[in-house]
Amino acid sequence: MGARITENEFGIIDIHRDVLARLVVDKIADMDAFVVPCNKKGKPLKRKMFSIDDLENAVDVKINNRNEITVRVYLLSRFGESINQISNELFDSIESEFEKLSIAKPKTITAYIKGVMAKQIIERNIEVTRHNG
């Protein structure tokens, strides 16, 4: 299923949710000085080596029958970073990319901070959510 961009007498244009998931992972990669994508258990993904399976573990994009998008991302924060600040920056960049594609902002974006990276990964389970609309 995809996010509907337009529908008219000539047809329908949809963007598949896997494309949206890749867009989100790319936005996470842009913030690699602050966060690292991880799976749902908190295991970090290797930079620029994301397979389809990794994407499914690090980013979850769902689109309901009303074309409302929900995004969930799983992250590790680098030590000393403000979780609130990096979450807001990530959410803003995701929303900006969706707008560039003429897609409505996701109804909900949730960042699950699974840990903090210092010399070792310190396990955390912090959830930060932004609701739109």
Side-chain angles (χ1 to χ4, degrees), residues 62-125:
K62 295 197 184 301
I63 305 166
N64 67 19
N65 57 0
R66 293 179 300 210
N67 206 38
E68 295 172 336
I69 302 168
T70 301
V71 176
R72 289 186 221 166
V73 297
Y74 298 88
L75 305 169
L76 297 171
S77 171
R78 298 208 186 268
F79 182 76
E81 299 299 330
S82 165
I83 290 173
N84 191 41
Q85 182 178 349
I86 59 176
S87 296
N88 281 324
E89 286 178 25
L90 177 62
F91 297 163
D92 290 344
S93 69
I94 291 169
E95 289 172 355
S96 174
E97 287 300 308
F98 276 57
E99 287 176 12
K100 287 178 187 175
L101 294 173
S102 300
I103 301 172
K105 291 180 184 178
K107 180 130 178 120
T108 304
I109 307 173
T110 304
Y112 295 96
I113 311 300
K114 301 303 286 180
V116 175
M117 294 180 66
K119 289 183 181 180
Q120 297 179 350
I121 296 173
I122 303 163
E123 188 176 322
R124 296 285 185 262
N125 281 306

Side-chain angles (χ1 to χ4, degrees), residues 10-29:
F10 301 111
I12 298 170
I13 299 175
D14 283 345
I15 295 181
H16 196 273
R17 68 182 187 88
D18 289 344
V19 174
L20 298 176
R22 183 61 202 213
L23 180 144
V24 173
V25 168
D26 287 346
K27 292 288 111 190
I28 294 169

Side-chain angles (χ1 to χ4, degrees), residues 16-23 25-26 37-40 45-46 48-61 74:
H16 196 273
R17 68 182 187 88
D18 289 344
V19 174
L20 298 176
R22 183 61 202 213
L23 180 144
V25 168
D26 287 346
C38 67
N39 65 19
K40 294 174 184 171
L45 303 182
K46 293 184 177 162
K48 306 282 184 186
M49 304 282 292
F50 306 128
S51 71
I52 297 298
D53 292 335
D54 289 336
L55 288 175
E56 290 175 0
N57 289 323
V59 175
D60 184 25
V61 176
Y74 298 88

